[in-house]
Amino acid sequence: MPRYKILVEEDELPRYWYNILPDLPEPLPPPLKPTGEPVSPSDLEAIFPGELIRQEMSQERFIPIPDEVLEVYRLWRPTPLFRAYRLERALGTPAEIYYKYEGMSPPGSHKPNTAVAQAYYNMREGVERLTTETGAGQWGSALAFATNLFGLKCTIYMVRVSYEQKPYRRVLMQLWGAEVVPSPSTRTNAGRSVLEREPDHPGSLGVAISEAVEDAATHDDAKYSLGSVLNHVLLHQTIVGFEAMKQLEGVDRFPDYVVGCVGGGSNFAGISYPFYYMKVSGKAPTDTQFVAVEPTACPSMTKGVYTYDHGDTARLTPLLKMHTLGHDFIPPPIHAGGLRYHGAAPTLCLLVKHNKFKSVAYNQVEVFNTAQLFARTEGFVPAPETAHAIKAVVDLALEAKRRGERRVILFNFSGHGLLDLKAYDEFLSGKLQPYEYPSEAVAKSLERLHSLYPWLKL
Ligand SMILES: Cc1ncc(COP(=O)(O)O)c(C=O)c1O
């Protein structure tokens, strides 16, 4: 610690994560088994360590961050909060735009906030190896980075289309000591059965999750680690919101809007839930609005159905109550790999269902146009996922301009795009296409889900 103290005063870091479960508008519907019975903590022991299961179900509002985790966080935290003066000027908006720059972390995104915590708890409970899936490679590189620091091995099932599109993320994972397997693979029953049906399957997060869960469940040395969706993952990200709150306090501001992109929901929850806590506990000075942004190619919350569904394609995970496009969703190969997930975090979906949070969707062409505007004004190149949030921020700032309102907009700059330049190259050469996932495809998937689980209709 004295090592890092030169750079960052210890007291600048929050000491607690925020658990939203006690503050939801209704109790969170529990995860269910395929029989319709609730999952018990012991059902999860094959794949998660005890402390993470405890956090997953905890009603404790504030969970202390262990010193060993804080020590690693100090490598890059607190992350800077920037005001986007140049973007504001380019838009001619009276709005103030602030962004929390999570691209500062060694892997380049918000993902290590939970990867470090998960690797730490697994190490403490004697686990030797973690398995996981990755889409864009951001989550995989975060877990490779974290497991390396705590002396664990790491096996990463990487969605094949990203494995092929993003070789540099694979190299990063390997550099930090992880084994990277393109998914679907022949390693697992889940992967083999997909390949038998469709040898050229491009892979999806759903399939990769099935493979990683199966690997952990069938090997005693290993547990599984998830980069988003679950309560314990989202709560580890709340350090982002607490830091942002303190930084905004320093300039006497509180956000009118908090915006983030949503794959599984973790970076958006991380920045927004602490402000939601201020709002529900009557401590917020303004009526803060929360805006979740997703791609029109994978519109879980804007076109999906709020029901129980599996988190993976092979139906190995419990059923979670969430907005879903159906677990057999095969995503179009858009560039925001980290947003191509058929569901989203149950806590976030519950807030959307109760209209406490709003969701919007944009296509990748308008998103990349905005990313270019951002890069040309603020300089930083956003990850394609992050650029979805920026598109919504720009729309809010332009609305503020039309109304002549001085609004404070905060968004999570969830990751940099310096390893996504191939996607930018395609954008610049005019090859990107807008894509809308059809509602009929959602309806068909949901019909299949209902025929599997007739009790869902009750
Ligand atoms: C930079 C970045 N932002 C956002 C996301 C979406 O995930 P989540 O919704 O869990 O934050 C990802 C996922 O890989 C990502 O890499």
Side-chain angles (χ1 to χ4, degrees), residues 108-111 134-140 169 205 227-229 233-234 237 261-269 336-340 348 382-387 412-416 420:
S109 79
H110 64 293
K111 295 282 180 182
T134 195
Q138 289 271 25
W139 165 242
R169 286 253 161 231
L205 277 176
S228 192
V229 178
V233 181
L234 270 55
Q237 292 292 349
C261 64
V262 174
S266 74
N267 86 88
F268 179 51
L339 305 187
R340 285 189 305 226
L348 180 57
E385 292 85 357
T386 308
N412 200 351
F413 190 105
S414 55
H416 70 67
D420 298 282

